[in-house]
Amino acid sequence: MKSQLRIKDLITIGIFSAIYLITYMFLSGVLFTPILFMLMLPIGALLMGPVYMLYIARTQKVGAITIMGFLTALIIGFLVYGNILIALVIFAFGLLAELAAYTGKYKSLRWNILSYCLMSFWAIGVFAPWWVAQDWIRELTITSGYPAEYADGALALATPFNLILIIASTVICALISAFIANSMLKKHFVRAGIA
């Protein structure tokens, strides 16, 4: 395994990062009601497993996941939310995901699945303010053009029990998605020479 990122790797990183981010931005637009918005983490984890696992199989280079995490932090944390703490949380999960995949040399199914589970939690940086900075997130939501009823409905769902449910369901959905992705990689992508 060559460890240095090349131009073709950077193009792959850009394409997969764009797919990853566009999917999550689409989900945040489609899942408009407060309850569906709170389910964005598990729904995203369920949908993005094949993209992420193919991404690891295609790159297998140190730094590829970190760059994806950085781009996600930059776009979501800074451009969408304009908050450095959200960006740092997102980036931290990107680093943890990189560390997990690196531990398995980007080839271990177990470590790649752990990497995907960790990467699935980057959006906790977006969700955490609903639990820990409720006044700020309510004001931000309203000034972003959402009705006050939407903000109040989402805040009513920000209970400790619901947070536990979101975390547990995200892990379960990430595991299901990663296992589906692994069987897809074996069945289709490896045979086609894509992975």
Side-chain angles (χ1 to χ4, degrees):
M1 171 180 78
K2 295 179 181 175
S3 60
Q4 207 170 24
L5 290 170
R6 300 176 186 271
I7 297 293
K8 124 181 145 145
D9 298 316
L10 295 175
I11 292 169
T12 302
I13 290 167
I15 291 168
F16 277 87
S17 296
I19 293 168
Y20 200 78
L21 285 166
I22 288 168
T23 302
Y24 270 99
M25 290 172 140
F26 174 77
L27 283 176
S28 68
V30 170
L31 305 175
F32 186 73
T33 65
I35 190 140
L36 289 176
F37 176 73
M38 293 291 179
L39 293 174
M40 192 172 88
L41 236 68
I43 291 170
L46 191 61
L47 294 177
M48 296 307 296
V51 173
Y52 188 83
M53 298 299 274
L54 181 59
Y55 177 66
I56 291 176
R58 293 283 296 167
T59 55
Q60 294 188 5
K61 302 271 178 75
V62 175
I65 298 169
T66 301
I67 293 171
M68 179 187 263
F70 174 76
L71 292 172
T72 306
L74 182 68
I75 292 168
I76 303 296
F78 281 118
L79 298 180
V80 175
Y81 284 91
N83 187 284
I84 193 164
L85 287 176
I86 291 175
L88 287 173
V89 169
I90 294 169
F91 185 60
F93 277 100
L95 286 175
L96 290 171
E98 177 85 56
L99 181 62
Y102 175 79
T103 302
K105 306 231 185 297
Y106 304 95
K107 293 185 184 294
S108 165
L109 177 61
R110 180 182 305 148
W111 286 105
N112 288 348
I113 288 174
L114 177 59
S115 174
Y116 178 60
C117 286
L118 290 166
M119 192 65 168
S120 296
F121 277 101
W122 69 261
I124 204 75
V126 174
F127 285 97
W130 292 96
W131 278 265
V132 298
Q134 294 189 338
D135 292 336
W136 173 79
I137 198 70
R138 184 181 191 281
E139 182 182 329
L140 177 68
T141 303
I142 293 169
T143 57
S144 297
Y146 291 91
E149 295 79 21
Y150 177 88
D152 293 335
L155 285 169
L157 293 170
T159 65
F161 179 73
N162 284 345
L163 181 62
I164 292 167
L165 279 179
I166 289 169
I167 291 169
S169 61
T170 300
V171 170
I172 291 166
C173 287
L175 290 172
I176 291 168
S177 188
F179 280 111
I180 290 170
N182 184 56
S183 65
M184 286 173 64
L185 280 170
K186 281 182 180 172
K187 188 172 182 181
H188 300 292
F189 298 132
V190 172
R191 190 170 26 200
I194 296 171

